[in-house]
C-alpha cells in the first residue's frame, strides 16, 4: 500500500490540498486498500448513479484489509446500492414539495433548512440528499442563493436557519462570510446553525481563519455527523476544540447504520467519546428510505432496544434522541410516539396530530425483534410514503401524503 506516505505534515493538514487530492479513481483507491471484486464491480456499476469521493484524511481511517470496516463501508460504493430496492425512494421527506424556492426547505413554521451547496468532501453512501448531492449540474448559483435569502427575509416567522447542503464548509471563507452576513442582517433570524461533516472527514477545514469568520455571526450553532468511534481521532478532537473556543456549541447527528454502529457497545463508545470531546449527541436518526440504501437499514425495534440499553448506563447528556424524519417533521422513536407495528409498517403519532406509517420490514437477521412492539391494525387515514417505485406494488400505500 503506497498511498499518501511521504506527504509532509504541513501539506497533509492543508484543507485545500485534501480537497484537491480527494480519491476519485479506482486505481488510487486500490493503492490505499485491498479492493475486493465486489467493490471494484460496484465502482463500475454506480458510475453515473451516485458519485464517490474520499479525502486522503478519511481514507487514512479505512482498514486496508477489511471491506466491512465501518469507515470504508460509509464511503466505498457497494453492489447493494444498485440492487432492486422496493421501498427506497428519491425524496422520502418530500423536501422538494416543501421548498417554496429552490433548496429552502420550509417544513416547520419557525425554521428552515437552507441547502446552499450540493458539494461535499466525501459522498456517504446512505446520503439523505442523494437526489442532488454530488451532482455538479445542480450547483446553487449566486442568484439562487439570493432568492433563498430573500425568501427568509420575507418570512418573519423564521427564527432559525439551518445552513446545510451538501456541506456548506466546502465554501471558501469569503463566500461563507458573505452568506452568514446576509442571514445575520435579517432581524428576525435569531439563530444560525451549520450542518457539516468537516470535523469527521476533513478536520483541517476548521482552521483559525474559518473560526474567526464563524465567530463574527453569533449566535451560531453547529451540528456535525460522527457515526463510529474510529472517527474520533485527535485531529477531529482538535477541530472541535477550535470551534468551541470560537464560541460555537457543537452537536452531533448520527445515522443508525446496520453493521456499522447498530450495537450497544459501539454506540456507547461513540457517544461517550463525543462527550469527552465536549460534543453533545443530539439525534440518532433511523436511516431513511433512500433508494439504494437498503443494506444500511435496521428495524425500528432494534434502534429502540439500543436506546433502552443506554439509559441508566451512561451520562444522560451522552444519550441523543432517536428520531425518524417524516414529511410531518421528526418523530421521537420511543413509546410515547410509536404506537405499534402493522405488518411491514411501524405506526406512530406525529407532532402535528397525523399518524405516520413508516415502511420498515424486519430484516431477516433481526427476526428476534418481532413482538417487541404491539401488533396493531393500520389506523384509518394513516399516511405513508406513496411515491416510491415499487411501493404501490408492494401494497404499502395507505394514503398518499398531501403534497404541499
Ligand atoms: C431537521 C430539520 C430541521 C431542524 O429540526 P430540529 O428538530 O429543530 O433540529 C429544520 N428543517 C428541516 C426541513 C429539517 O429536516
Amino acid at each position: 500500500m503506497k498511498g499518501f506516505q511521504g506527504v509532509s505534515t504541513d501539506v497533509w493538514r492543508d484543507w485545500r490540498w485534501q480537497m484537491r487530492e480527494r480519491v476519485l479513481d479506482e486505481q488510487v483507491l486500490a493503492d490505499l486498500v485491498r479492493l475486493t471484486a465486489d467493490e471494484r464491480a460496484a465502482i463500475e456499476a454506480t458510475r453515473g448513479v451516485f458519485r464517490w469521493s474520499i479525502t486522503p484524511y478519511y481514507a487514512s481511517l479505512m482498514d486496508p484489509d477489511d471491506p466491512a470496516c465501518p469507515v470504508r463501508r460509509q464511503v466505498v460504493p457497494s453492489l447493494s446500492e444498485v440492487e432492486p430496492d422496493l421501498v427506497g425512494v428519491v425524496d422520502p421527506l418530500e423536501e422538494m414539495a416543501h421548498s417554496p424556492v429552490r433548496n429552502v426547505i420550509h417544513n416547520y413554521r419557525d425554521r428552515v433548512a437552507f441547502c446552499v451547496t450540493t458539494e461535499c468532501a466525501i459522498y456517504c453512501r446512505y446520503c439523505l440528499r442523494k437526489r442532488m448531492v454530488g451532482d455538479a449540474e445542480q450547483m446553487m448559483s449566486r442568484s439562487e442563493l439570493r432568492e433563498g435569502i430573500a425568501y427568509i427575509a420575507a418570512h418573519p416567522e423564521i427564527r432559525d436557519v439551518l445552513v446545510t447542503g451538501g456541506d456548506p464548509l466546502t465554501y471558501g471563507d469569503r463566500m461563507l462570510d458573505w452568506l452568514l452576513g446576509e442571514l445575520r442582517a435579517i432581524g428576525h433570524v435569531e439563530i444560525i446553525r451549520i450542518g457539516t461533516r468537516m470535523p469527521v472527514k476533513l478536520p483541517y477545514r476548521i482552521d483559525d481563519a474559518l473560526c474567526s469568520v464563524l465567530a463574527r455571526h453569533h449566535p451560531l450553532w453547529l451540528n456535525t455527523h460522527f457515526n463510529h468511534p474510529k472517527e474520533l481521532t485527535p485531529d477531529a478532537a482538535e477541530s472541535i476544540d477550535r470551534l468551541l473556543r470560537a464560541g460555537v456549541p457543537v452537536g452531533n447527528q448520527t445515522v443508525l447504520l446496520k453493521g456499522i454502529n447498530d450495537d450497544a457497545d459501539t454506540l456507547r463508545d461513540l457517544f461517550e467519546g463525543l462527550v469527552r470531546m465536549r460534543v453533545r449527541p443530539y439525534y440518532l436518526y433511523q436511516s431513511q428510505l433512500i433508494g439504494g440504501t437498503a443494506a444500511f437499514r435496521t428495524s425500528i425495534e432494534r434502534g429502540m432496544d439500543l436506546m433502552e440499553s443506554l439509559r441508566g448506563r451512561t451520562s444522560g447528556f451522552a444519550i441523543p434522541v432517536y428520531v425518524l424524519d417524516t414529511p410531518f417533521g421528526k418523530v421521537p422513536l420511543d413509546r410515547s410516539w410509536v404506537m405499534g407495528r402493522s405488518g411491514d409498517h411501524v405506526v406512530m403519532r406525529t407532532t402535528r396530530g397525523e399518524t405516520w406509517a413508516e415502511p420498515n420490514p424486519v430484516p431477516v437477521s433481526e427476526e428476534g425483534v418481532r413482538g417487541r412492539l404491539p401488533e396493531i391494525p393500520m389506523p384509518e387515514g394513516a399516511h405513508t410514503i406513496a411515491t416510491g417505485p415499487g411501493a404501490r406494488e408492494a401494497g404499502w400505500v395507505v394514503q398518499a401524503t398531501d403534497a404541499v
Side-chain angles (χ1 to χ4, degrees):
M1 302 286 145
K2 302 181 290 290
F4 295 100
Q5 279 161 27
V7 173
S8 76
T9 310
D10 280 356
V11 170
W12 180 260
R13 295 176 65 92
D14 173 352
W15 75 272
R16 292 184 183 279
W17 178 88
Q18 288 271 343
M19 287 295 280
R20 269 198 311 277
E21 295 299 319
R22 279 181 291 174
V23 182
L24 314 157
D25 177 274
E26 182 179 331
Q27 270 332 99
V28 181
L29 184 60
D31 277 346
L32 300 171
V33 298
R34 230 174 297 283
L35 280 178
T36 64
D38 266 23
E39 286 171 322
R40 287 186 189 273
I43 286 171
E44 217 31 68
T46 57
R47 200 182 296 283
V49 178
F50 186 54
R51 199 173 139 187
W52 67 277
S53 141
I54 312 169
T55 56
Y57 164 82
Y58 199 67
S60 75
L61 307 183
M62 295 191 297
D63 185 321
D65 299 313
D66 179 12
C69 162
V71 171
R72 187 158 157 181
R73 277 195 62 215
Q74 291 185 57
V75 286
V76 175
S78 121
L79 279 178
S80 63
E81 293 177 41
V82 289
E83 280 164 8
D85 182 2
L86 269 183
V87 293
V89 295
V90 173
D91 183 13
L93 306 181
E94 300 177 1
E95 291 190 325
M96 295 198 280
H98 286 113
S99 298
V101 299
R102 185 156 177 256
N103 289 351
V104 175
I105 307 165
H106 196 177
N107 189 5
Y108 297 90
R109 184 176 182 280
D110 69 330
R111 54 206 193 275
V112 292
F114 188 9
C115 302
V116 298
T117 179
T118 56
E119 272 293 300
C120 255
I122 60 174
Y123 294 101
C124 309
R125 308 319 295 168
Y126 46 84
C127 180
L128 173 64
R129 302 209 174 99
K130 268 188 166 180
R131 66 173 190 277
M132 56 184 258
V133 162
D135 183 347
E137 286 171 18
Q138 294 201 50
M139 263 328 263
M140 287 283 275
S141 67
R142 186 68 83 112
S143 71
E144 285 173 315
L145 285 176
R146 285 190 207 281
E147 274 175 49
I149 294 161
Y151 176 86
I152 294 164
H155 287 78
E157 70 274 21
I158 299 172
R159 44 164 284 283
D160 174 356
V161 176
L162 165 52
V163 176
T164 180
D167 195 315
L169 298 189
T170 54
Y171 277 14
D173 293 349
R174 204 160 335 136
M175 177 74 174
L176 193 68
D177 198 24
W178 170 79
L179 177 73
L180 296 176
E182 292 288 306
L183 292 171
R184 190 37 80 218
I186 301 170
H188 54 263
V189 172
E190 295 171 9
I191 59 169
I192 299 173
R193 308 192 228 184
I194 293 191
T196 177
R197 216 180 171 199
M198 285 296 179
V200 185
K201 66 198 177 189
L202 179 38
Y204 318 121
R205 175 65 188 102
I206 315 296
D207 56 14
D208 289 337
L210 174 73
C211 289
S212 61
V213 168
L214 297 179
R216 274 203 280 283
H217 303 285
H218 277 310
L220 189 139
W221 295 60
L222 185 145
N223 264 326
T224 189
H225 175 183
F226 288 93
N227 281 334
H228 193 273
K230 271 188 90 165
E231 298 167 337
L232 303 173
T233 66
D235 289 357
E238 188 186 319
S239 75
I240 299 297
D241 183 58
R242 281 177 202 268
L243 288 166
L244 295 171
R245 280 187 287 121
V248 181
V250 182
N252 187 70
Q253 314 195 137
T254 296
V255 183
L256 183 60
L257 297 168
K258 192 174 181 61
I260 292 181
N261 60 16
D262 67 331
D263 69 274
D265 290 342
T266 304
L267 282 185
R268 200 181 53 223
D269 287 351
L270 173 65
F271 299 146
E272 291 180 353
L274 285 168
V275 299
R276 281 198 301 276
M277 285 167 34
R278 292 173 288 154
V279 174
R280 169 74 156 105
Y282 179 48
Y283 284 144
L284 173 68
Y285 282 101
Q286 169 65 19
S287 63
Q288 301 285 162
L289 295 177
I290 313 298
T293 65
F296 292 111
R297 281 177 222 140
T298 66
S299 65
I300 287 173
E301 288 93 331
R302 173 128 192 94
M304 293 175 74
D305 279 348
L306 289 168
M307 290 306 295
E308 287 189 11
S309 78
L310 292 171
R311 184 63 62 187
R313 288 177 189 85
T314 189
S315 319
F317 59 81
I319 305 179
V321 179
Y322 177 40
V323 293
L324 173 73
D325 212 346
T326 78
F328 300 99
K330 293 174 180 68
V331 178
L333 292 174
D334 64 36
R335 291 288 188 161
S336 58
W337 299 92
V338 176
M339 299 156 66
R341 176 173 279 280
S342 184
D344 281 336
H345 291 79
V346 170
V347 183
M348 62 200 76
R349 295 186 302 124
T350 70
T351 57
R352 303 187 193 168
E354 304 281 357
T355 307
W356 179 258
E358 176 76 0
N360 183 244
V362 175
V364 178
S365 58
E366 293 173 22
E367 278 299 322
V369 304
R370 287 210 184 271
R372 172 73 174 71
L373 287 172
E375 191 68 33
I376 59 169
M378 182 63 72
E380 188 97 21
H383 297 265
T384 190
I385 289 171
T387 51
R392 198 170 296 273
E393 291 80 346
W396 281 326
V397 179
V398 178
Q399 181 188 311
T401 57
D402 307 319
V404 174

